[in-house]
Amino acid sequence: MHLSNYPLFSLILPISCVATLYETIESLPSTTYDFVIVGAGAGGSVLANRLSENSKTSVLLIEAGPSYQYRRPKQHSSYADAEPGTGSPWDWNYTTTPMPGLDGRSIPYPQGHILGGSTSANTMAYTRGSFEDWDRYAKLSGDSGWSWLEMLPYMFKNEKWTAPNDHHNTQGQYDPLVHSTTGITSVSLPGFPHPFDPLAIATTKELPKAFPFNLDMNDGFPLGLGWPQSTINGAQRSSGATSYLGPQFMARSNLHVLVNTRVTRVNQTGTDSGKPAFRSVEVTQSETGPRKLISAKNEVILSAGPVGTPHILLLSGIGPEKDLSALGIQTILNNPAVGQNLTDHPMISNMWYVNSNGTFDVLGQNTTAFAADLEQWNKTQFGIMTDAPIAFLVWSRVPNGSYSTPDPSAGPNTPHYELLFANGFLSAVDTLPSTGSFMTLVSSVTAPSSRGELTLNTANPFDQPNINPNMLATDFDNFVMASAINATRELVTASAWKGYIIREFGDLAAVTDAASMKAYIQQKSTTIFHPVGTAVMTPKGASWGVVDPDGIVKGLSGLRIIDASILPVIPSAHPQAHVYFLGERASDLIRAAYNLH
Ligand SMILES: Cc1cc2nc3c(=O)[nH]c(=O)nc-3n(C[C@H](O)[C@H](O)[C@H](O)COP(=O)(O)OP(=O)(O)OC[C@H]3O[C@@H](n4cnc5c(N)ncnc54)[C@H](O)[C@@H]3O)c2cc1C
Ligand SMILES: *[C@@H]1O[C@H](CO)[C@@H](O)[C@H](O)[C@H]1NC(C)=O
Ligand SMILES: *[C@@H]1O[C@H](CO)[C@@H](O)[C@H](O)[C@H]1NC(C)=O
Ligand SMILES: *[C@@H]1O[C@H](CO)[C@@H](O)[C@H](O)[C@H]1NC(C)=O
Ligand SMILES: *[C@@H]1O[C@H](CO)[C@@H](O)[C@H](O)[C@H]1NC(C)=O
Ligand SMILES: *[C@@H]1O[C@H](CO)[C@@H](O)[C@H](O)[C@H]1NC(C)=O
Ligand SMILES: *[C@@H]1O[C@H](CO)[C@@H](O)[C@H](O)[C@H]1NC(C)=O
Ligand SMILES: *[C@@H]1O[C@H](CO)[C@@H](O)[C@H](O)[C@H]1NC(C)=O
Ligand SMILES: *[C@@H]1O[C@H](CO)[C@@H](O)[C@H](O)[C@H]1NC(C)=O
């Protein structure tokens, strides 16, 4: 695959017989579809694909951001830069409210604004989480269909296990029995070796109690240290845009994709057996541009992500009445759960100076080397640009009895925290020094007890909402973060690292007591970009929650939500796989409901 082979769908394919990418609302051939899906990220890309499998079903997918082919070349490669696009046209450019747990800091809050959504901008880690996380979803939603065992077939429908780019021998690096080669999204082991790979593996032998080797962290039992699996296909990112919306699917005449178009609200279309029906979306291409309505015969499905979906609901009069009326928005459905329970994983980047000339730091330090590596990637599809940002993952728990609050994790096989190895300086807070080579061990709290919220700031859909992930707000989360930082220091005490690790970088080196640990956590923590839970799924008839276990919005008709917003609790994992799986099962539920088989 060559860069210039990227599909320019609407330009090369004749419009009459193929699904087409539409750039303007006026060019769209219809204003009514069987299904209208809002947002082309992890959730929306799956639904658009699966619902259009039946050629008699017409599907419109609406995306606020541009089409994937405009992405800068560097990010077509699997190498992801340290700045995930904040301030670029591919990002929503959100900022959080000040967070007390972060010393009152506001932080950038990137969300993909492009075909593929955040799967086109993310770090590509592919983690299914623990079986306990899924079994808890089944319990909290009252639907056993969300349990680990019942979700396995959907995990297999999503995953297309793919050889790593360097085609190295992967025996002993994963368990083939728990993988699928027949799904849609490519998943692979790292395709570029790191100088410290043997040292990380040696650590599991030297310190097996703290860092046991885990052959495959995607078998439902993630605890331990193992090789990471990433959404990478050879030398390229495998995103919702390149997998579920790949050229073979975009060729369907019953699938239309409208980009550069923002949904500003959902509009009531009538009443079904006493419930307000919402089968229209209001769209526009600019803040001052005209607003048009596009309608669904069956359903509007919101997949606008954990920020976009609650934002649209609130703008539409679906949310807490007192907040809405304060902004002059008429409440159609008073539901205090909309926007509440926003949860995210805090992370901190711990860096070490290392004795190596094989880190990716050179890409940020030497523009000549960067250009040479990019050219090598472009010409040969090999080299450091094909590397995954993550070299190893460790999943771990704080000891039993070390805390007195209820355990927020889903059970004893579910991590409280994660460590993430990067072969260079990976920080959203500190700046890469102009010289020196580095290793980063990110610490992240993956079973946090803190909860935040998302509320409207103004009634203008072009003003961002108030986003308060409220990370590190509890003693438990701060205790886990400190434990995870201590664990990184313990890890590099293994004798294997002698000669490789030189010394701790910057503020980590200054962490010597409880006070400096607290200051380090408050001043250096940021997000690992995993917001969920702003429109939670609860059992049918529950007094709290936004959607039923099938994603249908409680109290309304014709409106469903399938994205990261509906996860009842944050998974102790990177969540893109969870959202792909939600999309796969929801597609089956929808097809059954409308007899689309
Ligand atoms: C920088 C970054 C790094 C990450 N790293 C990882 C990782 O390594 N591994 C992992 O598993 N997860 C990672 N994630 C998280 C993961 O990508 C998300 O959990 C997942 O993509 C969520 O899927 P979604 O469908 O809910 O939302 P998204 O994938 O974000 O899709 C939502 C889509 O809706 C569109 N949209 C929003 N509002 C509107 C509107 N009003 N009108 C029209 N369209 C709209 C957006 O533009 C976007 O395309 C990362 C996320 C980010 C931002
Ligand atoms: C992003 O937001 C910041 C402040 O929140 C603003 O200064 C900047 O201009 C914005 N960038 C873009 C590209 O919109
Ligand atoms: C959508 O509904 C709102 C509220 O009823 C209305 O003000 C608006 O004009 C509608 N949008 C369109 C495009 O008709
Ligand atoms: C969700 O948020 C509400 C309101 O803030 C709170 O009462 C409730 O405890 C939260 N639920 C969870 C599971 O955190
Ligand atoms: C790194 O150093 C080794 C030993 O000095 C050398 O053989 C190798 O070519 C160097 N690699 C790079 C990428 O400079
Ligand atoms: C930058 O990289 C180029 C190409 O690899 C190399 O020739 C040059 O010496 C490097 N410059 C520095 C300052 O290391
Ligand atoms: C990649 O190579 C093609 C020609 O083969 C060239 O047109 C393009 O500019 C190159 N891109 C980069 C990023 O080097
Ligand atoms: C911790 O407690 C759980 C039960 O709550 C148990 O299953 C697990 O084995 C215990 N772990 C250790 C290390 O003792
Ligand atoms: C972290 O390590 C320091 C120094 O060894 C210790 O004093 C502190 O209690 C540890 N914190 C946690 C939460 O384990």
Side-chain angles (χ1 to χ4, degrees):
M1 269 283 280
H2 192 272
L3 185 61
S4 59
N5 288 347
Y6 259 78
L8 297 161
F9 315 110
S10 54
L11 302 181
I12 38 184
L13 301 172
I15 284 170
S16 57
C17 66
V18 290
T20 307
L21 193 66
Y22 295 92
E23 305 268 349
T24 64
I25 298 169
E26 295 71 45
S27 62
L28 205 61
S30 179
T31 54
T32 307
Y33 292 81
D34 291 328
F35 294 96
V36 173
I37 301 163
V38 180
S45 62
V46 179
L47 289 162
N49 178 308
R50 296 299 186 190
L51 296 179
S52 64
E53 272 178 1
N54 180 318
S55 63
K56 294 198 186 74
T57 307
S58 62
V59 176
L60 175 67
L61 176 62
I62 303 174
E63 168 55 43
S67 137
Y68 196 70
Q69 73 241 28
Y70 303 127
R71 198 95 199 270
R72 61 181 183 274
K74 180 180 164 190
Q75 286 168 326
H76 281 301
S77 77
S78 52
Y79 168 78
D81 55 355
E83 301 156 293
T86 303
S88 82
W90 304 290
D91 184 64
W92 281 85
N93 198 28
Y94 292 132
T95 303
T96 69
T97 59
M99 284 177 270
L102 271 62
D103 199 23
R105 282 180 298 127
S106 295
I107 57 169
Y109 214 57
Q111 288 285 289
H113 178 259
I114 183 171
L115 212 62
S118 297
T119 71
S120 294
N122 69 20
T123 318
M124 301 177 287
Y126 186 79
T127 56
R128 295 176 185 167
S130 76
F131 75 92
E132 292 163 341
D133 265 331
W134 287 99
D135 290 353
R136 178 159 69 172
Y137 291 152
K139 201 168 135 218
L140 291 173
S141 67
D143 178 354
S144 65
W146 295 117
S147 66
W148 171 264
L149 276 182
E150 292 196 44
M151 286 304 288
L152 264 177
Y154 296 111
M155 300 182 186
F156 277 38
K157 286 187 87 168
N158 169 240
E159 182 186 60
K160 183 177 183 178
W161 187 263
T162 305
N165 194 48
D166 61 2
H167 290 273
H168 71 269
N169 178 1
T170 54
Q171 204 188 348
Q173 299 186 349
Y174 80 115
D175 178 359
L177 292 178
V178 299
H179 292 279
S180 153
T181 55
T182 54
I184 307 272
T185 304
S186 288
V187 175
S188 65
L189 289 161
F192 190 80
H194 310 107
F196 57 62
D197 288 349
L199 312 183
I201 297 299
T203 304
T204 66
K205 304 206 169 87
E206 193 179 333
L207 303 172
K209 202 157 172 282
F211 306 103
F213 180 65
N214 186 338
L215 175 64
D216 201 315
M217 59 185 72
N218 277 341
D219 66 358
F221 294 84
L223 294 174
L225 183 157
W227 297 90
Q229 301 171 15
S230 304
T231 44
I232 295 179
N233 180 18
Q236 316 263 348
R237 171 189 292 272
S238 182
S239 65
T242 66
S243 64
Y244 284 93
L245 300 174
Q248 72 275 39
F249 305 117
M250 293 294 279
R252 292 176 182 160
S253 59
N254 56 324
L255 172 61
H256 292 178
V257 179
L258 175 62
V259 293
N260 304 324
T261 303
R262 195 188 292 221
V263 169
T264 47
R265 55 182 298 151
V266 287
N267 270 38
Q268 189 171 354
T269 43
T271 311
D272 287 347
S273 34
K275 290 178 178 174
F278 277 83
R279 290 193 176 81
S280 283
V281 297
E282 185 187 75
V283 293
T284 188
Q285 294 194 289
S286 71
E287 185 165 355
T288 53
R291 308 296 206 250
K292 297 267 171 58
L293 283 183
I294 300 179
S295 301
K297 284 187 207 132
N298 296 335
E299 287 183 7
V300 168
I301 304 170
L302 295 180
S303 299
V307 175
T309 287
H311 193 202
I312 293 170
L313 292 175
L314 294 168
L315 291 166
S316 311
I318 302 163
E321 181 160 29
K322 68 170 178 26
D323 295 356
L324 298 178
S325 56
L327 291 171
I329 296 174
Q330 193 203 333
T331 302
I332 296 175
L333 183 81
N334 175 20
N335 185 339
V338 175
Q340 292 302 305
N341 302 102
L342 170 61
T343 315
D344 198 357
H345 293 151
M347 75 158 203
I348 197 160
S349 292
N350 311 292
M351 273 83 67
W352 281 261
Y353 286 94
V354 298
N355 180 21
S356 168
N357 60 0
T359 69
F360 61 60
D361 299 304
V362 66
L363 296 171
Q365 289 167 335
N366 180 337
T367 51
T368 316
F370 179 89
D373 286 321
L374 183 60
E375 198 186 328
Q376 186 195 11
W377 170 77
N378 190 346
K379 285 212 176 89
T380 67
Q381 302 284 283
F382 282 97
I384 201 163
M385 287 274 181
T386 65
D387 194 12
I390 301 171
F392 285 97
L393 288 173
V394 179
W395 301 93
S396 194
R397 284 177 65 80
V398 295
N400 282 353
S402 66
Y403 52 96
S404 51
T405 50
D407 181 359
S409 80
N413 299 289
T414 303
H416 289 127
Y417 65 85
E418 153 190 40
L419 311 179
L420 183 159
F421 283 71
N423 180 28
F425 193 96
L426 186 79
S427 173
V429 178
D430 290 308
T431 311
L432 170 69
S434 57
T435 58
S437 295
F438 299 89
M439 177 172 84
T440 302
L441 288 175
V442 167
S443 301
S444 176
V445 180
T446 58
S449 61
S450 303
R451 296 289 179 271
E453 64 171 11
L454 181 147
T455 58
L456 280 184
N457 181 22
T458 78
N460 178 354
F462 283 80
D463 289 342
Q464 78 150 75
N466 303 314
I467 305 169
N468 179 14
N470 198 27
M471 292 184 291
L472 295 166
T474 62
D475 288 345
F476 178 82
D477 294 359
N478 279 278
F479 163 71
V480 175
M481 185 58 106
S483 305
I485 293 163
N486 280 356
T488 67
R489 282 178 155 170
E490 185 187 350
L491 193 149
V492 299
T493 62
S495 62
W497 297 95
K498 239 183 151 166
Y500 191 77
I501 294 282
I502 298 173
R503 64 188 156 91
E504 292 173 346
F505 170 80
D507 298 320
L508 175 61
V511 176
T512 53
D513 56 14
S516 50
M517 174 66 93
K518 184 164 189 220
Y520 181 60
I521 292 174
Q522 289 216 324
Q523 284 153 28
K524 296 295 174 176
S525 292
T526 180
T527 170
I528 200 168
F529 321 113
H530 297 165
V532 307
T534 45
V536 285
M537 182 199 307
T538 57
K540 270 202 164 78
S543 59
W544 175 266
V546 179
V547 301
D548 283 342
D550 53 10
I552 291 178
V553 179
K554 292 176 190 293
L556 301 179
S557 176
L559 188 63
R560 203 186 291 256
I561 303 174
I562 303 297
D563 62 20
S565 335
I566 70 173
L567 286 172
V569 186
I570 197 163
S572 182
H574 298 242
Q576 67 168 336
H578 297 67
V579 184
Y580 281 129
F581 307 159
L582 290 182
E584 285 287 5
R585 176 161 187 253
S587 300
D588 261 11
L589 296 175
I590 295 167
R591 284 157 55 132
Y594 293 91
N595 270 316
L596 301 178
H597 291 282

